[in-house]
Amino acid sequence: MASRLLHRHIREQLKDLKEVTHESLVVGAIENAFQLMDEQMARERRGHQVEGGCCALVVVYLLGKVYVANAGDSRAIIVRNGEIIPMSQEFTPETERQRLQLLGFLKPELLGGEFTHLEFPRRVQPKELGRKMLYRDQNMTGWAYKKIELEDLRFPLVCGEGKKARVMATIGVTRGLGDHNLRVCSSTLPIKPFLSCFPEVRVYDLTQYEHCPDDVLVLGTDGLWDVTSDCEVAATVDRVLSAYEPNDPSRYTALAQALVLGARGTPRDRGWRLPNNKLGSGDDISVFVIPLGGPGSYS
């Protein structure tokens, strides 16, 4: 639904702009489109019995600028003359811990008496009541000590690290579309209030640089980035594009395919493996490659 309709919402919001006097108007139009898409999903799920949600990563080109909007754990980077320019970040329980904790602090009813907005290095045990333990709240980036109270025995709102980090012990992504029916396991407590449909939008001005045919914008789902670093992507960009003539349009498709196959790995005795013998990605691997310079010319 998002892949079929989100771009239409964006187009309609941009149509309402009589004049683009500042890039913030475009950013606001894109943000509003994401919210309208999420609201449409909420309305129509009742008639279609549709469950679940999705991440969304969108690129809009307008008046010489590229707008990259991301809600979820997909990512985008620009590779320009070998330089890596991040155009998004992943939105996970770890990267958005303070936003989630602040919401839990301001609206404790959303925690249902089952969770605490505080974070501890590990699960607090009943025998530790009255003892001091490290913690952090919505205002803290570091850790401090507090005396453990009865409420601290509740399950933490944010728990786990890396790919195992979860909100309410359920979901590992904190922005996206849908998931209106998502509940805490074995509970009626809704998780949607903690999930934001609003994207982060970053802007790149194409007119500020001379771009060659090897300068590209790479979009990938977490299946790519879980096993491939930005530097490895940049190295693949250089290796694949240098094997093709600058005016060969198939070079960008070949690059996208190389990135997907590289993240998947090759079949071996114990599953799909990368060259370093680590497991290949078991997640969805979707990749778009968008050239920033015209084929065979500099722009």
Side-chain angles (χ1 to χ4, degrees), residues 1-178:
M1 188 173 181
S3 64
R4 286 189 299 108
L5 300 177
L6 179 55
H7 65 283
R8 295 185 184 180
H9 281 291
I10 293 173
R11 186 177 61 198
E12 289 303 312
Q13 291 302 302
L14 291 175
K15 270 186 183 177
D16 290 341
L17 295 179
K18 299 294 184 285
E19 188 180 2
V20 181
T21 54
H22 197 277
E23 64 186 35
S24 63
L25 294 173
V26 179
V27 171
I30 295 171
E31 291 171 333
N32 205 30
F34 270 68
Q35 184 177 30
L36 291 170
M37 181 76 256
D38 195 57
E39 290 171 353
Q40 182 180 354
M41 288 178 167
R43 290 193 306 270
E44 297 190 10
R45 71 187 163 92
R46 299 183 183 96
H48 296 283
Q49 301 297 311
V50 175
E51 303 287 338
C54 69
C55 300
L57 179 61
V58 172
V59 177
V60 176
Y61 171 73
L62 186 66
L63 300 176
K65 293 182 179 179
V66 171
Y67 297 80
V68 178
N70 181 45
D73 56 1
S74 297
R75 279 204 302 115
I77 64 170
I78 285 174
V79 181
R80 186 187 70 201
N81 194 26
E83 179 188 2
I84 297 166
I85 304 168
M87 290 302 295
S88 67
Q89 66 164 321
E90 296 173 312
F91 290 103
T92 68
E94 280 190 310
T95 64
E96 292 218 278
R97 173 185 62 82
Q98 288 178 282
R99 177 183 73 79
L100 299 168
Q101 287 182 316
L102 178 61
L103 182 56
F105 171 73
L106 295 175
K107 295 188 174 183
E109 66 273 14
L110 296 177
L111 302 175
E114 299 178 35
F115 293 87
T116 172
H117 73 283
L118 300 178
E119 183 185 16
F120 299 92
R122 57 174 173 77
R123 186 74 190 274
V124 181
Q125 302 298 317
K127 64 182 180 182
E128 293 171 309
L129 277 168
R131 299 180 188 175
K132 285 191 174 183
M133 183 180 282
L134 288 170
Y135 85 104
R136 58 183 177 182
D137 65 16
Q138 67 278 2
N139 301 308
M140 302 167 66
T141 55
W143 297 82
Y145 283 98
K146 80 176 293 285
K147 190 176 180 181
I148 296 299
E149 303 170 55
L150 196 59
E151 299 80 43
D152 300 327
L153 298 181
R154 296 170 182 166
F155 205 87
L157 172 62
V158 176
C159 64
E161 296 179 351
K163 293 297 289 184
K164 294 183 178 179
R166 293 290 182 269
V167 179
M168 294 178 141
T170 304
I171 189 169
V173 184
T174 51
R175 297 201 194 190
L177 302 169

Side-chain angles (χ1 to χ4, degrees), residues 216-241:
V216 292
L217 172 61
V218 178
L219 287 71
T221 56
D222 59 336
L224 172 70
W225 304 110
D226 285 349
V227 298
T228 317
S229 68
D230 291 358
C231 290
E232 287 170 332
V233 168
T236 303
V237 169
D238 179 60
R239 175 177 58 81
V240 173
L241 295 186

